[in-house]
Amino acid sequence: MTSGSATLNTTIYGEAPHTVLVRNDWTQAEIASIYHTPLMDLMYRAASVHRAFHNPLAVQQCTLLSIKTGGCPEDCGYCPQSAHYETGVQSEKLLNTDTVVTAARLAREGGSTRFCMGAAWRDVKDNAQFDQVLDMVKQVGAMGMEVCVTLGMLNQDQAHRLKDAGLTAYNHNLDTGEQFYDKIISTRTYKDRLETLKNVRIAGINVCCGGIIGLGETAEDRVDLIHTLCTLPEHPESVPVNALVAVKGTPLEEQQPVEVWQMVRMIATARIAMPKAMVRLSAGRVSMSLAEQALCFFAGANSIFTGEKLLTTSNCDFDEDKQMFELLGLEPLEPLRTVVV
Ligand code: SAM
Ligand code: DTB
Ligand code: SF4
């Protein structure tokens, strides 16, 4: 069971001060009602829950690195790395370990406390490449950073091996609601995704699981996604909220950008439904103004990816992010692990 509680120290208009429980018995109707709350109320409620569980000024900086780019056999309609689409992303071999460790060191020097390595794989195979990834995990972990990987589907044994190598978290997104899922991906099922999440959890690795908005889904699909996440036996410790980066050559290249209000609703609903999670303002930040990002932090986002690139697409300017932190009075979250080297 997910557990924990905190007393709200602010009074919400029309509500008595009360204890906010970490619940995993949310109903669909409850999540829908939160999602559709008038925006000003929603942001205030989310901000209040955020403050009851987290330091609202602390925002974790994370760095992404694509360790194996492109040529992926899956057909995720949003993804520039799928081999099914002509996007101009070149297929590359797995990076060597030294390159990865050097990138992690630079990320740490730049203030990142979490290093996330992504591979464009359908699933993990028990081969020399996986052994190499285990080594990368070991070395990055030894640098005192949280270390996360996203490698596609995973069985229980592989999850245990990653745990033994020192992995902190595994990213595996449900992406959207179950009803809409097969409009976006046909090469694997929602059930497959849930199975991997279960394997990660059983191995004692923290779960990083969120989704994307702007795929053409309805508000109901977004509610479905959050409902699935917040009714897992344990909430994901980390919930990335991505806005689609529409990439030329993918089936979703013509999608209209989402409005910031949809992003704010998603973040706020995730924050209220999963109070203890790190809610990460992820892809799509590059198209948002500073004021729009500020709304997302107010609504409960407490992490961003910094650095010039996400995996294959461009991200915000590092110095501008630094200025944003100064302007908003945000402080980078301190490392959660002890630095060994
Ligand atoms: N192959 C692995 C997998 O699918 O789990 C790992 C890499 S995959 C790129 C990680 C996540 O990035 C996806 O689940 C999706 O949520 C997000 N993502 C990929 N392309 C995106 C895009 N164009 N815009 C926004 N988010 C995207
Ligand atoms: C997540 O939810 N977002 C990050 C991370 N998990 C791996 C990835 C975003 C990728 C955006 C498209 C790209 O740069 O290729
Ligand atoms: Fe492959 Fe992951 Fe991209 Fe899907 S999202 S095509 S699984 S890299």
Side-chain angles (χ1 to χ4, degrees), residues 78 80 119 121 150 152 171-173 175 193 212 242-245 283 311:
Y78 49 74
W121 288 337
T150 176
N171 168 248
H172 201 65
N173 291 341
D175 283 338
R193 280 316 250 194
I212 315 183
N242 298 279
L244 175 72
V245 179
L311 290 172

Side-chain angles (χ1 to χ4, degrees), residues 252-272:
L252 297 177
E253 65 177 343
E254 302 286 357
Q255 278 297 317
Q256 290 306 302
V258 285
E259 287 185 5
V260 65
W261 309 118
Q262 312 309 325
M263 202 63 177
V264 168
R265 282 195 185 280
M266 249 347 240
I267 288 170
T269 307
R271 169 54 66 222
I272 293 165

Side-chain angles (χ1 to χ4, degrees), residues 72 74 76 78-79 81-82 120-121 188:
C72 183
E74 302 277 52
C76 311
Y78 49 74
C79 187
Q81 302 201 66
S82 167
W121 288 337
R188 54 161 196 258

Side-chain angles (χ1 to χ4, degrees), residues 140-247:
V140 175
M143 289 169 49
M145 299 181 91
E146 293 176 31
V147 46
C148 175
V149 291
T150 176
L151 313 170
M153 289 183 274
L154 197 66
N155 65 32
Q156 243 183 71
D157 178 59
Q158 292 160 340
H160 281 290
R161 290 179 69 196
L162 281 165
K163 171 73 182 171
D164 291 345
L167 190 75
T168 324
Y170 195 83
N171 168 248
H172 201 65
N173 291 341
L174 287 172
D175 283 338
T176 190
E178 188 166 10
Q179 301 304 317
F180 188 65
Y181 188 82
D182 64 4
K183 310 277 183 306
I184 300 298
I185 302 151
S186 78
T187 48
R188 54 161 196 258
T189 64
Y190 216 69
K191 212 163 139 258
D192 291 333
R193 280 316 250 194
L194 289 167
E195 187 62 30
T196 293
L197 292 172
K198 197 167 95 192
N199 292 338
V200 170
R201 185 55 88 199
I202 287 172
I205 298 168
N206 285 348
V207 170
C208 173
C209 184
I212 315 183
I213 64 170
L215 306 173
E217 75 287 344
T218 61
E220 202 184 336
D221 297 317
R222 295 176 192 157
V223 166
D224 280 353
L225 169 64
I226 296 188
H227 182 248
T228 303
L229 294 172
C230 70
T231 53
L232 288 169
E234 278 183 78
H235 292 169
E237 284 75 12
S238 162
V239 180
V241 180
N242 298 279
L244 175 72
V245 179
V247 177

Side-chain angles (χ1 to χ4, degrees), residues 89-101:
V89 170
Q90 299 297 321
S91 182
E92 285 166 23
K93 288 196 307 207
L94 184 64
L95 293 183
N96 73 52
T97 308
D98 286 350
T99 307
V100 172
V101 170

